[in-house]
Each structure stands twice: as structure tokens, then as C-alpha cells.
Amino acid sequence: MHTFFIAPTGFGVGLTSISLGLIRALQRTGLRVHFLKPIAQPHPGDTGPERSTELISRTLDLSPPKPLGLADVEHRLANGQLDEVLEDIVSNFHLAAADADVVIVEGMVPTRQASYAARINHHLARSLDADVILVTAPDDEDMSSLADRIEIHAQGFGGPAHSKVLGVIVNKVRGLELADGPPANRSELKQTLKEFALALKQESQVLDTDDFRLIGCIPWEDTLNAPRTSDIAELLHATVLHEGHIGSRRVMDIALCARTVPNIVERLKPGTLIVTPGDRDDIIIAASLASLAGTPLAGLMLTSGFTPDPRVMQLCQPALAGGLPALCTTTNTFDTATRLDRMNREIPVDDHERAEQVTEFAASHIDHAWLQRRCGAPREARMSPPAFRYQLMSRAQKAAKRIVLPEGDEPRTVQAAATCQRRGIAQCILLAKRESVEAVARAQHIVLPEGLQIIDPDDVRARYVEPMMALRKGKGLNAPMALQQLEDNVVLGTMMLALDEVDGLVSGAIHTTANTIRPAFQLIKTAPGYNLVSSIFFMLLPEQVLVYGDCAVNPDPDATELAEIAIQSARSAEAFGIPARVAMISYSTGKSGTGEDVEKVREATRIAAEREPGLLIDGPLQYDAAAIASVGLQKAPDSPVAGKATVFVFPDLNTGNTTYKAVQRSANVVSVGPMLQGLRKPVNDLSRGALVDDIVYTIALTAIQADMNE
């Protein structure tokens, strides 16, 4: 088990952001990572739980021990009880280290009140026998000064050459912003970061060695430091005149507006908080007009305790109804601006969206491969949710497949396609009229990336009539019937797939599962060796990823069909890096129960084992016997699967669909799928309640499936 102690070189280096990113980066490698904040350091105004611990808990589904209270620690330090404090911290550390491959320990941040932090950090690192990783931020200093500061702080832990001092992560590196924003594949950004790292190493003989490494170099990103409008309201103790989208809009910029309307027009941009006296009706109306025109302002902040005339507010009602937040504060504009300038930019504990974005961004700029080599292999190979998501994106990017999206002007689909195109996950093809897609993009403030292909179905539909008749020649399909069926974009997209013009299809955001799957049955057919099509969900539990099948397609499979579903699901799991240990689920375990349903599962297990002798499969097993080691040992002590199953095959659709939704909703678990299996070419269905991220993951799955079929 390894311990990494994260030591800041000063105040405001973004220590918690680095802890989040470091944990995520290590989780991607399959390591079990736990976290400990030894001593709480509340920010002014904090009344709830310790911020770092709470953010780690909420964002990464960990349960770190509660840190020691700062007041108590300071009291004991003043009484010369350092050893007792360290003993308590070591006790908490052992709680955090249970079943862990790596523990991340976040050191104290030096502040005006905690000037002793560096000394305490030295004792903590030594007491926990931890490897030390420094965290710093350039703070507008030159490379030489930054290198010197890093070396000075390394000396506090034995020097840069000490075996326990691993290196440094440089955070908040400004001046790396690209003119058009960071590209999807980040190749240009990576090159820029590489140049920064090289320049830093050239200033330091220490950094340019194998003993002390530059472990991460993370650029400044404005969007990751944008608070919500609701956070501003809380900071200023503002009265909320109209909530609108106060909890989702983010403050990218603040505009103090005291000039005439023509002179503030250029400041009316997305994400801008308009700060103006409450009696400036002209500015209030101008901001409302901008909002109605499609500019998602962060909000209106009215100062000096003035509230607009009710007639003015009535005039602005359409903008307010469209989501524009309106707030009022009693302080004047100058004092309001001063408080806004001094606001704490730390991530609020309830801002899950921002915490997740920061986590992913930081993780993507940390050398997790080197850290993994430092840690060695995990004690048991497993696929954690972060590792699964990372693998998904990485493999999809390498596959570089063309995925058609028949619901081409559906807003979530457009956003997902733009994301996939920018990040290089897939070459997406939207089936829709260009003007319709562009209208959606404008309304949703989506930037359509270069290379995103949009095909007007009316322009191409006719050329698929003859090929479709050929594919369905035994079904009596004539030209008018084919043309009529091709009016459905799902059918049109499936024909594109059948003719190898695209590599996969994703649909279902507004269509039913039957609408998505039926054309695939008719035009794509099953893969060689398979007689049916089934589905799986990847269930991203906190500790690992499990596979559930079949939860979407086959209502009541017989024993032979159930065996095939088990084999398909096992192969799919292994294809995505999940070791297949298949549990055939029933209400009975082993020979304890009888009945038609139990016998079906027992027979399916026998058939699957005969067809795939090397497959680890057992059944019938109750869910708890399959999933919980202690229960499995009690109910099925000789089973190779009980207590450690990774693939759960349900006896029928009723059981499977109910179980996956119960787990997903009750335990707040992300599920990726359904992924269809058994088709010659990949077609995947979406839930009609799918989020943008769900669609992105499904597109990535589809791209990987297409790559595996080659």
C-alpha cells in the first residue's frame, strides 16, 4: 500500500483540486484510492463539514474519516502534545487505508493564522511514511523564481534527492490559453504544456532529473473557476427577486454598468453578471432584451437597495420567465464590487457539476502512468468507474469511427455530437436539416465544431430505396413501401450502416427501443454464431463496474436463449476489461429451490458451461449470494463465482429491467447502456431520459464495438 502526501508550497495553489484530480487519475489505473485530510482547515464563513473531505466524498463516492478539528489541534500543540495529535492522525489514517492500494493525504495549507503548517506537514509525512508530492502555482513569477521556490519547499522534506520526495504538480499555469479555446484532442494544449515543463526544467538542475519529477502541469481554465449565480447571492446576502436559473447559470464575468445603454451593449455576453443600481431602468430593460434574444446572462444584481418599478418588472417578465435571475443587495455598487472581487473561489461542497469538471480536468494533466508504476499493480485487478470511463474515451478516440445519429436535431443529441467531435471520440453524422441543427445550436449556445457532418435526409433518402429492396427481397418490399419506411430516420441510418457508409448507429433519445432495434433486426441481422440479440448495462458502482443483462430486449428467454445471453454478456464484459464471473440470478441458490423458473436458470447454466468450458459461471444464485462475499461463502461455499460476480444475468426482462432501475435510482448509480450485443454491426439504444453524458458514453461504446467487429 502506498501513501502520497500532498504538500502545498503556499496559499491558493488549488490543493483540493489537485487531490480530486490525483485520486481520479489513480482510479483510472484500477487502483483502490482512499483519502485523508488529517486536520480540518475551515474557510471563513464555513459552518458545515470540512470542505476537502466533503468534496471528495460527494464527487468520488469515498468515505474519508472525519478530520481532527483545528481548534482542538491548536490547543494541544500549544500544550506540547504534538505526539498525541500525530497518534490520532495515524489512527484515522489506518481507517482510511483499509482495503486501499493508495491513500492520498492532503497536508495543511499555510495561512496567516496557520504559519506552523509547514512544520506540521513535515511531521505528518514522516509519521505516515508517505511519498511527498509538492503542489505549487506560478503566481505570475518568472521560471527561475518558481524553480527556486519548489526547491526550497522540497528541502523541508529532506531535499529533492530524498527517496520520499517524488516531485511537483504545477497548478494554475496561466498564459497557456489558446485563442479558440483548448482543442478536443488537446494535442496543441499538451504541446504548450510540454514547452512550459521544459522551460521550468531548464531553470532547475533538480527538476531535470529522474529523482524529482514534474508529475503534472495544469493550465488555468476560467470556466472551472466560475461560481453559480446562487453562490453570488449567498455571498452578498442578496434578496432574490426572481430565481430563474439561479442554480445552474455561472458567472464568467462581472460588468459594473453605470453608463448609457449603447456603451454597455458589448458587455451583454453569456455568463456575465450585470451589476447596476436598482433604479437604472434602462440597463435592466437592456439586459432583459439581451436575455430574450438568446444571451444567457448570469443574472441581474441590483445594488443600493433599490427595486425596480413594478411596471418595469412586468415589462421584463418574459426574460425572467426565460430563466434570467434577478437579485437585489443593500450595499452600493462600489461596495458590492469590492466584495465580489474578494470572494472565495473555492468549490462549494454542493456544486457537483463544477467539482466533477475540475476533477476530470486536473486528472487529464497528471502523469498517472508514472504514478501507477510507482505504486505497482493493484492487489486485485478490477475495473473502477473512472478507469472504465477513461478506457471508454481512450479506446473510442483510437478507433476513430463514424457514428450516425438519426435524431439529428434533438438538443441533447446535438450537444453530445459536438462534444464527441471536439474530443475526437467519434466522427458523428447528424441526420437532420442543417438549418434545424443550427437553430438548436443557437438556442442551446452550442458551438458546432468543424468536421461535424450534417446530412439532410430529404437529399439522400431516394438512393437507399433499391438497396433496401435488395436486403428485404424475400419480404415483398416494393419501392413505394421502401420509400415510406425510409421516411423514418432510424431506418435511413440503419441502411447507411448496412451499406458500410457508417460504422455504428445510436438512437432512442426520442424514439422507443422498438423503433431503434426493429430496423436493425430486419436490415443488419445477427452476428455469426448468435441466434438472438440481447443487451447489457454497465453499472458504475462506487468501487467497480458490473454488467447486467438482459435488461432491455428479451421478455422471457428460454434456457437456450438465456445461455446465449450469458455468453454474450461475458464476452462483452471481457472486451471492456472486466473479468467475467457470471452469476445466473434466481430467487434460489444452488439446489435449495425448485420450480420451473429455477430449473430454467439451472439448465441455462449447464448449456452455457458446455458451450464455453473456460467460462466462470454458476447458477442459480440469489443476488446477495452472487454479490456479497460473506453471503456467497455461506450459501455457496464451493462456487467460483459466488460473492465476486461481475456479470449478472437475469432470468427475464421483468427482473432485469426492474433490478437495474432500482439500483440506478436508489443508489444513485450511473448506468451506461443499453449496449446491444449479437448484431453484425453495432446499433445502440438510449433511454428517453438520457443526459448528454449518457449519449456521449453510448457513442463511445458504439465506436469501440465497431472497432472490435473488424
Side-chain angles (χ1 to χ4, degrees), residues 276-564:
T276 189
D279 58 355
R280 288 296 303 271
D281 297 340
D282 55 339
I283 294 175
I284 295 169
I285 292 172
S288 298
L289 286 172
S291 182
L292 283 174
T295 301
L297 298 171
L300 273 170
M301 177 63 70
L302 308 179
T303 65
S304 305
F306 297 134
T307 55
D309 187 290
R311 292 170 295 179
V312 174
M313 292 300 289
Q314 185 61 37
L315 193 62
C316 299
Q317 189 57 41
L320 299 175
L324 177 66
L327 315 171
C328 181
T329 182
T330 56
T331 55
N332 61 40
T333 303
F334 177 82
D335 290 340
T336 301
T338 301
R339 293 179 67 184
L340 287 171
D341 185 59
R342 295 174 180 174
M343 75 174 294
N344 180 10
R345 295 285 180 153
E346 298 283 338
I347 306 170
V349 294
D350 64 342
D351 193 348
H352 180 75
E353 179 188 24
R354 184 177 164 198
E356 180 62 32
Q357 290 173 346
V358 167
T359 301
E360 279 296 315
F361 188 78
S364 66
H365 293 91
I366 291 173
D367 189 352
H368 58 81
W370 182 84
L371 288 171
Q372 182 190 22
R373 292 194 296 272
R374 177 78 184 187
C375 298
R379 55 184 73 173
E380 182 185 355
R382 70 188 182 98
M383 181 63 70
S384 68
F388 178 78
R389 290 192 294 265
Y390 178 73
Q391 177 197 232
L392 208 62
M393 298 303 150
S394 179
R395 290 179 62 182
Q397 288 167 343
K398 291 177 182 176
K401 297 301 180 181
R402 290 164 54 84
I403 307 299
V404 64
L405 305 172
E407 300 158 327
D409 55 3
E410 195 279 322
R412 292 164 296 166
T413 302
V414 175
Q415 179 70 75
T419 300
C420 289
Q421 193 72 33
R422 278 196 302 271
R423 296 175 61 184
I425 295 169
Q427 168 65 61
C428 291
I429 299 156
L430 298 172
L431 292 184
K433 293 187 177 297
R434 176 170 290 278
E435 55 267 28
S436 179
V437 175
E438 290 176 346
V440 168
R442 284 194 302 272
Q444 300 293 320
H445 303 284
I446 302 167
V447 178
L448 299 178
E450 186 178 350
L452 180 62
Q453 192 172 353
I454 302 171
I455 295 178
D456 187 340
D458 292 341
D459 293 343
V460 301
R461 190 175 287 114
R463 69 183 178 90
Y464 292 100
V465 172
E466 290 294 332
M468 186 172 176
M469 290 168 59
L471 286 172
R472 301 275 291 160
K473 60 184 178 182
K475 304 297 181 180
L477 189 71
N478 57 32
M481 293 167 62
L483 187 60
Q484 183 182 19
Q485 291 184 26
L486 287 165
E487 292 288 334
D488 184 342
N489 282 355
V490 177
V491 176
L492 178 60
T494 307
M495 278 301 305
M496 295 172 68
L497 180 60
L499 299 179
D500 294 325
E501 296 175 359
V502 296
D503 302 300
L505 179 146
V506 174
S507 182
I510 55 178
H511 288 85
T512 65
T513 296
N515 287 142
T516 299
I517 296 176
R518 188 184 304 108
F521 282 146
Q522 297 172 343
L523 302 170
I524 303 298
K525 308 291 194 314
T526 56
Y530 291 134
N531 297 310
L532 86 165
V533 174
S534 65
S535 72
I536 59 170
F537 280 90
F538 294 96
M539 305 297 292
L540 277 57
L541 274 64
E543 287 293 321
Q544 68 180 128
V545 178
L546 301 178
V547 172
Y548 285 7
D550 175 9
C551 305
V553 179
N554 296 284
D556 189 19
D558 60 28
T560 302
E561 292 170 334
L562 195 59
E564 185 162 324

Side-chain angles (χ1 to χ4, degrees), residues 216-263:
C217 189
I218 301 162
W220 175 269
E221 181 67 57
D222 285 329
T223 57
L224 301 180
N225 291 277
R228 299 163 300 186
T229 308
S230 56
D231 300 326
I232 301 292
E234 185 177 350
L235 170 73
L236 300 178
H237 304 293
T239 301
V240 179
L241 303 177
H242 182 79
E243 282 195 4
H245 299 156
I246 194 172
S248 59
R249 294 198 179 180
R250 295 194 176 273
V251 181
M252 302 296 299
D253 191 18
I254 297 172
L256 304 180
C257 297
R259 294 174 288 177
T260 59
V261 170
N263 292 315

